[in-house]
Amino acid sequence: VKLTCVFPCVFAALCLGVGVMAGKYSREVNEAKPSGSDGQPVEFRIAKLNQVWEKAKRMQLSPVRQAELHSDLKIQEKDELQWKKMKVEGLDENGEKEAQLRRNFNVILAKYGMDGKRDTRPRESNSLKDHDIKEGDVFDDPRLDKLWNKAKNSGKFSTEELLNLKREFQHHKDKIHEYNILMDTVSRTEEIHKNVISDLEGDAKEHLLQQKHTELKDKMRGLNQGFERLRKISHEGFTDDSEFREPRVIELWEAAKRSNLSRDELDSLKEELCHFETKVEKHSHYQEQLELSHQKLQHVESLGDKEHIRRTQEKYDNLAEKTRDMGYKMKKHMQDLANKISRQGLQHNEL
């Protein structure tokens, strides 16, 4: 049974608007910004995350990239605070979760060029500016470039379909980059991990090292499946029953279809993914507005009218905060969906 996304998504958009306001209000009332040792308010409750954030503000990242970093750091903060509670309760005895958190933190540093190594990824590789198809579009990967050029010149796709396909290619390129970062991070921190778990029993130590490489294998499997999907669409075109447009949502849906979920569970998940896609699209819209707001601020600053600058800066700061908050909620929702799919799939496979 094919579900339609129109009414649930409109409803989700309305709920999201209210939810953002309500969430912001309750956070301001119940969660005042944490304070540092000097009593001044800080952005995060974990010192190393504040250090990263302060460094990032000096790095002249683009507004969208800075907002993305903030969302990633909020997710890291949430996960680390949850882990601290687990540790107090005597969980994570073999240090598996702790090692994963350390890995995630190192990946964040590498992703935003803060690990001391030069990041070779083009600075503006997000899909915000992908409003047209240019002749010189390349994805820094011979297989992707060849496939893209074949699809672009095949005559199978409308302009809108080509834009959607281009976003999927860009998403796959970013996934390759994330995999390379993770692989580099794993190998560079191998000795640290060995030292951290050197006092564990042999079996526990072996399990932890194996878990690290299992994550790499899972990501490589995901890359292969993603490329196979791109290859199929490039050759055959989009099917009439293509359910979603957003690459991240498509990735979750494809994983769900492979996870042995029942038909009812898949239908329920499809509806939830429809709501999630609305969140993703709304977040993308805010990112575009943030970029435009930053350009306006730069223009106003060049004119030198202090009052005009103050008002424009205030609008920009409010928009930046909303974009960061929305980005965090979207990433948390995506994390929850991915966990739900992998957990349900595991339960079915164990039966």
Side-chain angles (χ1 to χ4, degrees):
V1 179
K2 181 169 169 62
L3 293 178
T4 176
C5 291
V6 176
F7 293 111
C9 289
V10 170
F11 178 73
L14 292 171
C15 291
L16 184 62
V18 175
V20 167
M21 289 162 55
K24 182 171 171 56
Y25 173 76
S26 59
R27 192 172 67 255
E28 286 172 351
V29 172
N30 299 321
E31 290 183 28
K33 282 208 171 181
S35 299
S37 55
D38 58 358
Q40 293 298 310
V42 291
E43 199 69 27
F44 301 97
R45 284 173 282 180
I46 297 173
K48 68 179 180 183
L49 301 185
N50 279 313
Q51 289 166 4
V52 170
W53 180 241
E54 290 305 316
K55 181 180 177 182
K57 288 196 289 187
R58 297 191 296 269
M59 282 176 63
Q60 294 185 316
L61 296 173
S62 73
V64 169
R65 198 157 164 78
Q66 190 180 79
E68 282 290 284
L69 170 61
H70 191 278
S71 303
D72 284 342
L73 291 175
K74 286 294 284 183
I75 291 287
Q76 182 74 14
E77 177 184 55
K78 172 186 71 72
D79 290 345
E80 292 211 16
L81 292 174
Q82 282 177 350
W83 170 75
K84 285 180 180 178
K85 287 181 182 175
M86 284 174 61
K87 200 174 178 185
V88 169
E89 293 166 5
L91 303 172
D92 196 36
E93 286 183 7
N94 65 359
E96 186 174 312
K97 182 68 176 174
E98 182 181 11
Q100 185 182 27
L101 285 170
R102 190 183 303 110
R103 218 161 41 245
N104 291 349
F105 180 66
N106 287 329
V107 165
I108 290 173
L109 295 181
K111 183 178 173 184
Y112 295 94
M114 303 172 78
D115 61 343
K117 287 186 67 179
R118 183 173 172 272
D119 186 359
T120 56
R121 181 171 71 161
R123 302 318 296 166
E124 296 297 338
S125 68
N126 64 59
S127 58
L128 295 183
K129 298 177 182 176
D130 295 345
H131 296 307
D132 50 18
I133 307 294
K134 304 184 188 71
E135 281 304 311
D137 280 327
V138 288
F139 297 96
D140 303 326
D141 180 284
R143 290 201 308 166
L144 285 182
D145 290 341
K146 184 178 177 182
L147 203 56
W148 168 247
N149 285 322
K150 187 178 285 188
K152 192 170 63 169
N153 298 319
S154 68
K156 288 190 180 82
F157 303 95
S158 66
T159 303
E160 185 180 352
E161 285 175 334
L162 264 184
L163 286 171
N164 288 336
L165 185 60
K166 184 183 177 188
R167 282 156 71 195
E168 289 206 43
F169 269 80
Q170 183 63 58
H171 178 67
H172 191 80
K173 174 188 168 181
D174 289 342
K175 297 290 285 186
I176 292 172
H177 183 68
E178 286 170 17
Y179 173 81
N180 289 334
I181 285 176
L182 181 62
M183 188 166 62
D184 189 45
T185 302
V186 164
S187 52
R188 283 199 291 148
T189 56
E190 189 90 38
E191 287 306 313
I192 299 171
H193 288 185
K194 282 179 182 175
N195 291 335
V196 167
I197 61 175
S198 59
D199 57 343
L200 293 175
E201 293 298 324
D203 287 347
K205 178 177 177 179
E206 181 61 32
H207 171 72
L208 196 50
L209 290 171
Q210 189 179 357
Q211 187 262 348
K212 200 169 47 190
H213 292 286
T214 298
E215 187 178 351
L216 275 174
K217 285 180 187 174
D218 288 344
K219 286 196 178 290
M220 176 52 78
R221 192 183 303 116
L223 280 177
N224 290 335
Q225 288 162 343
F227 182 79
E228 181 56 30
R229 172 184 160 76
L230 288 176
R231 190 195 63 75
K232 187 176 179 185
I233 292 174
S234 298
H235 283 86
E236 300 174 10
F238 285 102
T239 57
D240 292 335
D241 61 347
S242 296
E243 292 91 356
F244 301 106
R245 298 171 302 280
E246 287 292 334
R248 280 167 290 195
V249 184
I250 292 167
E251 189 177 5
L252 286 169
W253 179 237
E254 292 296 319
K257 288 193 292 188
R258 292 191 300 267
S259 67
N260 296 330
L261 295 175
S262 71
R263 185 61 186 268
D264 285 347
E265 286 170 328
L266 273 177
D267 285 347
S268 173
L269 184 67
K270 188 190 245 187
E271 193 169 339
E272 190 173 355
L273 284 172
C274 191
H275 293 317
F276 177 62
E277 186 168 59
T278 303
K279 268 188 189 177
V280 175
E281 289 172 342
K282 187 169 183 180
H283 178 238
S284 295
H285 173 71
Y286 267 78
Q287 285 181 315
E288 290 182 17
Q289 293 306 307
L290 182 63
E291 191 67 56
L292 292 171
S293 177
H294 185 250
Q295 290 170 12
K296 182 178 180 181
L297 177 60
Q298 288 178 315
H299 173 68
V300 169
E301 284 174 339
S302 70
L303 301 177
D305 182 336
K306 288 184 179 179
E307 180 56 27
H308 195 183
I309 291 172
R310 185 192 66 75
R311 289 199 310 270
T312 309
Q313 179 75 53
E314 192 175 298
K315 286 179 184 176
Y316 170 76
D317 289 344
N318 287 335
L319 187 57
E321 186 179 349
K322 279 184 182 176
T323 307
R324 293 196 299 257
D325 188 48
M326 201 175 291
Y328 165 71
K329 286 175 180 172
M330 186 201 71
K331 287 182 180 186
K332 183 180 181 299
H333 194 174
M334 184 169 178
Q335 198 179 50
D336 292 342
L337 284 165
N339 287 339
K340 181 188 289 187
I341 291 167
S342 62
R343 226 176 18 249
Q344 286 181 325
L346 182 65
Q347 287 166 356
H348 276 268
N349 290 333
E350 285 174 347
L351 292 177

